[in-house]
Amino acid sequence: MFEENENISENVDMKKKNVIALVDCDSFFVSCEQSINPELKNKPVCVMSARGQCVISRSKEAKKLGIKMGMPYFQIEGRMKQAIYLNANHELYCEISEKVMDVLKSFCPKVEVYSIDEAFMDLTGLERLYKKNYIEIAAMIRNKIKEEVDIPVSIGLSSSKSLAKLASDKAKFEENGIFTIGSRKIVPVLQKTGIDEIWGIGKNLSLLCKKNGIITAYELVSQDDIWLNKQFGINGLEMKHELLGQMISPVSNDIKLPKSIQKTSALAKFSSDKNYLKNSLNYHIHRACVKLRKINAKCKGISLFLRTKDFKIYCEKKVLNYGTDFELEISDIIFDLLDKIYNPNILYRSTGVILDTFMFNNEAQISLFSDMKEVERKDKLVRCFDKLEQKFGKDIIQTGFIKKDL
């Protein structure tokens, strides 16, 4: 916990440089479940991966029981019966994530969404706007997210993304959920930070560091630039200067298109019924297209995959010469692909759809043979779909077959 004088000195340091915050939602999937079901609060709760196979999020009470991240259910079901196990609801988590990010964007214009539960903020200069120091601003952000979305967050403050990420990890152990790394704290913190704790250090890079006798973050930043560049390339060199408090990678709120959108799930029962598979695929197509339209983009790559009862995977892909976000058109393409790989003698356990090769709507080309009136009609129809879902709830509009037992 910071002493009051230490807080002031940290903010004096920060006035001289950029101030970057990394906001990290605590045990995000579990926190989402607790926000819609308050009875789960202060209880050992675990969110499980698809079909309850392994732990992907834990409450602090579950952590105290000794439940580890990634632990398979069969290892814990008999020994830790007091814990509550929930299947993941990724649609819910995405909805709550958007609400958290909206709160962050209400505080400052520069917010870079890093993942579903993390975002960088450039708070530089906001002391004058809010007439508060940066720790008080961070506390305001935490309180507003808790009040409006009921999600606890940890916030790390420093002068670069790498240090802010490191600070956010340490903030989880602070009573106020906030940790700052100002100029005078950089060396002491790096001396106590293992090389594996640094953001961007993967398994291979960690092994390479240790092979060269680099065990701590401080030992990494103590290396000569020429040697670092030779051993680790430009990324290693940039990492060193970020850890020394220099902002090499600024916070950017430019929207970046994802590499792909994938929607998949296991069937409720093994099946070789083609219509049953189509119904499942239509659901995935709809959810993928909703996400595609939210980022104002169209796709050219459309893929289908089926996983059999024996875990074999069959897939097929089509690449268009134009972009689309119209789910009925994508559905026709997916069903054509299905005809190519479907085998009535095989039992299938899951289906999936992947959209890729994106471009923003204002960059998307229209096919030379497109009927403009038809294009406008499709565009109006999908916007109508989205408006109805926003007003009446998810999946109010459904396309496909009449079977209801998915």
Side-chain angles (χ1 to χ4, degrees):
M1 174 75 76
F2 290 113
E3 297 296 328
E4 185 176 354
N5 290 336
E6 195 173 2
N7 283 344
I8 294 171
S9 67
E10 288 288 340
N11 276 282
V12 170
D13 288 338
M14 286 183 171
K15 287 179 182 177
K16 301 174 184 177
K17 294 185 178 182
N18 294 294
V19 179
I20 308 301
L22 190 279
V23 181
D24 185 5
C25 300
D26 299 335
S27 302
F28 182 55
F29 294 170
V30 166
S31 295
C32 290
E33 298 288 351
Q34 291 173 330
S35 71
I36 63 169
N37 184 1
E39 292 184 1
L40 294 174
K41 293 184 178 182
N42 302 315
K43 293 181 179 179
V45 179
C46 296
V47 171
M48 312 299 288
S49 62
R51 300 185 71 84
Q53 293 173 347
C54 62
V55 178
I56 57 174
S57 183
R58 307 158 293 159
S59 67
K60 60 183 180 182
E61 292 80 11
K63 293 175 185 178
K64 289 179 180 178
L65 291 178
I67 298 175
K68 307 294 183 183
M69 184 68 81
M71 212 170 186
Y73 182 66
F74 72 85
Q75 287 186 0
I76 54 179
E77 60 178 330
R79 295 187 292 120
M80 300 168 187
K81 294 182 179 179
Q82 64 269 50
I84 300 167
Y85 302 97
L86 305 172
N87 286 330
N89 182 352
H90 291 289
E91 296 293 341
L92 169 68
Y93 309 151
C94 288
E95 290 173 9
I96 293 179
S97 174
E98 288 182 6
K99 293 178 182 178
V100 171
M101 302 309 166
D102 286 343
V103 172
L104 300 184
K105 292 171 185 176
S106 72
F107 276 90
C108 74
K110 289 188 177 181
V111 175
E112 181 179 333
V113 179
Y114 178 65
S115 68
I116 193 172
D117 60 347
E118 292 178 290
F120 289 102
M121 303 175 72
D122 190 338
L123 304 181
T124 309
L126 292 186
E127 281 186 315
R128 293 182 180 179
L129 176 63
Y130 292 108
K131 295 180 172 55
K132 296 178 182 292
N133 64 43
Y134 290 114
I135 291 177
E136 291 171 336
I137 293 171
M140 284 174 55
I141 294 169
R142 290 188 78 245
N143 292 338
K144 190 170 182 181
I145 293 172
K146 185 63 178 174
E147 289 170 6
E148 295 193 5
V149 197
D150 196 22
I151 296 293
V153 301
S154 301
I155 300 180
L157 296 170
S158 196
S159 54
S160 70
K161 283 183 178 178
S162 294
L163 285 178
K165 184 73 171 73
L166 183 57
S168 73
D169 293 338
K170 297 182 181 301
K172 295 184 183 298
F173 303 98
E174 298 294 318
E175 187 177 336
N176 66 351
I178 301 168
F179 192 90
T180 63
I181 302 178
S183 299
R184 281 170 277 184
K185 261 192 177 175
I186 291 176
V187 170
V189 167
L190 295 184
Q191 287 174 333
K192 297 177 182 178
T193 300
I195 199 72
D196 295 324
E197 300 175 62
I198 301 173
W199 178 45
I201 295 282
K203 183 178 180 181
N204 292 336
L205 197 53
S206 173
L207 290 173
L208 183 58
C209 285
K210 291 173 182 177
K211 183 180 178 181
N212 284 279
I214 300 172
I215 307 301
T216 68
Y218 181 70
E219 290 171 337
L220 176 67
V221 302
S222 299
Q223 303 304 314
D224 180 81
D225 281 5
I226 296 175
W227 184 86
L228 267 178
N229 190 36
K230 183 179 179 180
Q231 294 292 324
F232 305 107
I234 188 64
N235 290 336
L237 196 58
E238 289 181 350
M239 187 179 297
K240 168 186 172 176
H241 290 283
E242 278 263 329
L243 289 171
L244 289 173
Q246 301 167 28
M247 190 176 70
I248 305 300
S249 174
V251 174
S252 172
N253 52 7
D254 293 338
I255 298 174
K256 297 178 182 178
L257 291 175
K259 291 184 178 180
S260 66
I261 295 174
Q262 178 173 318
K263 296 294 178 181
T264 179
S265 67
L267 300 169
K269 59 183 180 183
F270 300 146
S271 178
S272 59
D273 185 330
K274 194 173 187 180
N275 283 348
Y276 186 74
L277 299 178
K278 284 185 175 181
N279 214 9
S280 172
L281 288 166
N282 258 332
Y283 177 77
H284 298 323
I285 292 165
H286 176 60
R287 296 318 310 163
C289 286
V290 168
K291 187 170 183 179
L292 184 60
R293 293 192 292 269
K294 278 185 178 180
I295 59 175
N296 295 314
K298 288 179 168 51
C299 72
K300 293 174 71 174
I302 300 168
S303 302
L304 154 75
F305 69 87
L306 301 175
R307 183 177 281 109
T308 70
K309 178 184 176 182
D310 301 321
F311 292 96
K312 292 181 180 178
I313 296 177
Y314 295 91
C315 59
E316 193 72 33
K317 180 174 182 176
K318 181 173 183 178
V319 179
L320 308 176
N321 58 10
Y322 61 92
T324 182
D325 63 0
F326 187 48
E327 52 204 74
L328 298 182
E329 180 178 10
I330 292 174
S331 180
D332 287 342
I333 293 169
I334 288 290
F335 292 164
D336 285 342
L337 298 178
L338 179 64
D339 289 339
K340 294 181 179 180
I341 61 176
Y342 170 73
N343 185 334
N345 299 315
I346 293 177
L347 284 173
Y348 298 97
R349 67 164 55 240
S350 64
T351 65
V353 170
I354 302 173
L355 307 181
D356 58 31
T357 317
F358 302 129
M359 70 285 302
F360 287 111
N361 287 340
N362 59 358
E363 300 171 349
Q365 293 182 339
I366 298 173
S367 171
L368 290 173
F369 306 103
S370 295
D371 180 337
M372 288 307 298
K373 288 185 178 180
E374 181 69 10
V375 171
E376 291 176 6
R377 186 188 69 81
K378 289 178 178 178
D379 187 64
K380 287 180 180 179
L381 183 58
V382 295
R383 305 305 160 195
C384 182
F385 284 0
D386 294 340
K387 286 181 180 179
L388 285 169
E389 285 208 342
Q390 289 171 9
K391 186 172 182 179
F392 298 107
K394 186 180 71 174
D395 301 331
I396 192 69
I397 298 290
Q398 296 185 22
T399 60
F401 301 86
I402 60 173
K403 288 195 173 186
K404 301 293 185 181
D405 54 349
L406 287 178

